Amino acid sequence: MRKAIIAIGSLSAALLASTPAQVHQLPQIKSASIELPAGDSLFPGGSSADAINNNCLACHSADMVLNQPALPKATWEAEVQKMIKIYRAPIDEADVPAIVNYLASIKGNG
Amino acid sequence: MPEPKDHSSLPRPTPHSSRRSSFAFDLSLSRRSALRALGIAGFALASVPAWADELVKLPLPSNPRERPLTRDFPEKSDMILQRTRPPLLETPMEVFDRGVFTPNDQFYVRWHWAVIPNAVDVKTFRLSVRGHVNQTLSLSVDDLLAMPRVDLAAVNQCSGNSRGFFVPRVTGAQWAHGAMGNAQWTGVRLKDVLDRAGVKAGAVQVRFNGLDEPVVPDAPDFKKSLDIDHARDGEVMIAFAMNGEQLPLLNGFPLRLIVPGWYSTYWVKMLSEIEVLDKPDDNYWMATAYTIPDTPHANITPGQAGVKMIPINRMVPRSFFTNVANGASFATETTIPIRGIAFGGDTGVAKVELSADGGKSWLPTTLGKDHGKYSFRQWEAVTSLPVKGNHALMVRCTNVTGDVQPLAPNWNNSGFMRNVIETLQVTAS
């Protein structure tokens, strides 16, 4: 191990002269398994939130949207179109106005 | 140089609760039945998240400012919850006051797509290296552990760190300053892995992919690329440890690409595929997303059109207060110890200066131990506010190539690359 340290130290000296480079002893890498919170809370607002609840929660939780600042309605329209066209969100075209209106009503500024 | 550490007794992954994971979505389900499942779980949680036992108030320019402080994520302690699924978890500012390295259990988390494997078996996991190479590789974690090892302190910062401070506000994760962290990364040089595969003449870029996947099958999978010379510069790493332990799964276990001095978008998590390309990568995540105006500080006027866009790249210098917050008050007759952290971006910190008069005069600060040019650097100073009233405390970092934080904030549509001089409004009484 000591020889390896010296060899690597001299190899890396030229490349990483200004940054610390060294050799560690082997960390033990063990298989990992986790569980994540579901993040399945609904958007508030009852029936006015039906369209957004039915179309948007498969890909992301509602909190991200609720944490956004107030923005122009045109920005929300563009966001919904971006989700459809780029991120391929399977949103029913008929639901788009209701989603945009909901966003503009809770996060709109004109 | 830090002393070599003994890694022989790493803590085991902690047992986790039986809480339902985001992977409960069976992708073979129709959207309608998936939504039915969501609806049922949604009623159980009602509108108040069970984990919202404490709220933090971020100093953002407009509402909403409150976020839950959560301990609900595996291998993570207190984190600011920006989004539950896929997770966006922010590091509370006080963590940066405790040390120059950010603990793994409070290192920020950012995922693009919600299909994140919730288990990785290191015995069967393989990293593939393919494309414009002489020999395709399929490397196990043990294969990488047997290769020459390097160790590097480096800041990992989201392109959109501090986006929440942009005015006019922009869409995206409304981060305060905690979408960054500094760790000691241990792994192998990407160059060594590429050399083992044998890069063919004519290679132009190297593309990286991780195990995460889009929820919708035909959506763009998250992939990032580096130019071939950058990939082979001997500094870009494949890390299997951070701060002396295996990576938390949410930070990219078992392997993460480390691109020192560059924004985190390139630091691909759960790295599973390396593809050498003989033409430039035009995938969405390189050509469209994560692009910045090709202007000084990536700055444009809101609404400005016809701007040339380029992929975001090198980081720029930043500095922060960590022991004083906006709105603090001090007695006029006392001395005030002030400290914080700074980093140079793509190179080291040359100096950090403090102003107690709103930027009219600047005083030197004392820099802490140098952990290398890509690391956080602590700074400290003692000042006083002899005149009663309101004062603006400011801190600015200059890096070793002379790049200094600007006095005016930048603006762009994506909320990227903020590095304006930070200012705190404080009171002397």
Side-chain angles (χ1 to χ4, degrees):
Chain A
M1 194 62 189
R2 187 174 295 276
K3 271 185 186 168
I5 291 170
I6 293 163
I8 291 156
S10 55
L11 272 174
S12 61
L15 281 169
L16 299 171
S18 59
T19 55
Q22 64 178 88
V23 173
H24 272 170
Q25 291 182 28
L26 289 179
Q28 294 179 323
I29 308 291
K30 293 178 185 288
S31 296
S33 166
I34 62 166
E35 291 194 43
L36 292 170
D40 48 14
S41 297
L42 297 176
F43 285 92
S47 62
S48 71
D50 281 353
I52 198 166
N53 281 323
N54 288 340
N55 285 287
C56 301
L57 294 177
C59 289
H60 60 79
S61 51
D63 46 5
M64 169 70 160
V65 180
L66 298 172
N67 286 336
Q68 297 300 304
L71 292 162
K73 187 174 182 180
T75 302
W76 291 120
E77 175 79 39
E79 280 298 302
V80 173
Q81 291 303 330
K82 180 170 132 183
M83 295 299 156
I84 295 170
K85 294 195 170 101
I86 295 172
Y87 298 124
R88 309 286 180 189
I91 296 176
D92 295 334
E93 198 57 41
D95 285 342
V96 170
I99 296 169
V100 173
N101 287 338
Y102 176 82
L103 291 167
S105 71
I106 64 160
K107 295 284 172 188
N109 67 356
Chain B
M1 237 162 62
E3 291 298 308
K5 293 175 203 159
D6 181 359
H7 293 301
S8 60
S9 59
L10 287 177
R12 287 159 186 274
T14 49
H16 304 295
S17 73
S18 58
R19 209 180 293 116
R20 192 168 157 254
S21 86
S22 65
F23 315 108
F25 298 123
D26 180 343
L27 296 177
S28 66
L29 288 177
S30 72
R31 184 166 63 90
R32 202 165 292 276
S33 58
L35 290 170
R36 262 202 306 275
L38 264 177
I40 292 159
F43 282 121
L45 285 172
S47 58
V48 180
W51 54 89
D53 47 1
E54 194 181 335
L55 291 172
V56 290
K57 194 169 183 182
L58 302 178
L60 303 179
S62 60
N63 285 328
R65 298 186 176 93
E66 289 185 340
R67 303 284 187 275
L69 195 65
T70 179
R71 300 194 70 147
D72 217 33
F73 286 80
E75 305 173 279
K76 293 287 163 184
S77 176
D78 291 355
M79 297 296 287
I80 298 166
L81 182 60
Q82 294 281 7
R83 183 176 66 195
T84 308
R85 175 176 50 84
L88 295 179
L89 308 177
E90 176 166 351
T91 303
M93 207 62 198
E94 62 266 24
V95 173
F96 302 119
D97 194 49
R98 293 185 199 131
V100 75
F101 290 106
T102 314
N104 292 2
D105 69 354
Q106 290 193 290
F107 208 99
Y108 86 100
V109 169
R110 190 268 187 268
W111 291 86
H112 297 84
W113 292 117
V115 182
I116 306 163
N118 57 358
V120 177
D121 181 343
V122 289
K123 293 284 175 263
T124 56
F125 173 88
R126 293 292 182 272
L127 169 65
S128 76
V129 185
R130 57 189 179 82
H132 207 60
V133 294
N134 294 325
Q135 187 188 348
T136 294
L137 303 177
S138 177
L139 301 171
S140 67
V141 172
D142 279 346
D143 290 335
L144 295 175
L145 288 170
M147 290 177 68
R149 194 168 302 173
V150 288
D151 200 17
L152 179 76
V155 173
N156 171 297
Q157 181 187 213
C158 182
S159 306
N161 190 25
S162 315
R163 177 185 290 117
F165 297 101
F166 271 57
V167 177
R169 303 289 298 270
V170 294
T171 57
Q174 302 299 318
W175 303 113
H177 298 313
M180 63 176 185
N182 184 44
Q184 190 82 6
W185 307 96
T186 305
V188 299
R189 291 186 191 90
L190 175 61
K191 177 183 191 298
D192 291 347
V193 171
L194 292 173
D195 286 351
R196 200 160 150 175
V199 173
K200 287 184 179 171
V204 296
Q205 285 195 320
V206 183
R207 179 156 66 189
F208 306 92
N209 190 16
L211 293 176
D212 52 324
E213 290 173 22
V215 176
V216 184
D218 58 346
D221 192 8
F222 182 74
K223 297 179 184 183
K224 297 296 292 188
S225 294
L226 298 174
D227 286 346
I228 186 71
D229 290 346
H230 187 184
R232 290 204 288 193
D233 72 356
E235 287 195 332
V236 177
M237 291 170 59
I238 299 167
F240 43 71
M242 84 190 256
N243 294 325
E245 299 178 2
Q246 66 184 42
L247 280 69
L249 194 140
L250 287 177
N251 293 111
F253 178 83
L255 302 176
R256 181 169 200 171
L257 193 72
I258 306 302
V259 189
W262 282 47
Y263 283 97
S264 181
T265 182
Y266 295 97
W267 300 41
V268 171
K269 297 183 291 298
M270 285 190 178
L271 178 68
S272 58
E273 282 183 273
I274 297 175
E275 185 184 3
V276 179
L277 305 176
D278 61 1
K279 55 182 185 299
D281 185 5
D282 61 356
N283 104 76
Y284 167 75
W285 296 102
M286 289 299 295
T288 305
Y290 289 105
T291 57
I292 54 169
D294 188 15
T295 60
H297 303 289
N299 183 47
I300 60 168
T301 306
Q304 187 177 335
V307 182
K308 184 191 175 196
M309 303 294 283
I310 57 169
I312 195 167
N313 48 84
R314 298 167 185 279
M315 297 198 292
V316 287
R318 300 197 71 176
S319 56
F320 302 91
F321 297 94
T322 59
N323 73 327
V324 180
N326 210 38
S329 60
F330 302 97
T332 50
E333 65 271 21
T334 58
T335 55
I336 308 164
I338 298 185
R339 60 178 182 264
I341 52 166
F343 58 101
D346 66 337
T347 187
V349 172
K351 61 180 176 179
V352 175
E353 298 163 291
L354 177 72
S355 174
D357 58 9
K360 289 199 263 307
S361 63
W362 293 89
L363 301 166
T365 72
T366 304
L367 295 180
K369 184 180 173 186
D370 185 358
H371 293 276
K373 66 180 182 177
Y374 297 118
S375 173
F376 280 159
R377 191 93 185 254
Q378 290 177 307
W379 61 267
E380 62 180 354
V382 174
T383 190
S384 60
L385 299 169
V387 180
K388 286 185 181 177
N390 299 324
H391 299 271
L393 293 180
M394 304 171 91
V395 61
R396 75 176 178 196
C397 173
T398 304
N399 72 17
V400 298
T401 54
D403 194 4
V404 60
Q405 291 182 255
L407 199 54
N410 71 331
W411 194 92
N412 51 62
N413 296 289
S414 300
F416 288 157
M417 279 182 77
R418 186 174 174 91
N419 80 322
V420 63
I421 292 169
E422 296 298 328
T423 302
L424 297 181
Q425 301 296 335
V426 299
T427 308
S429 54

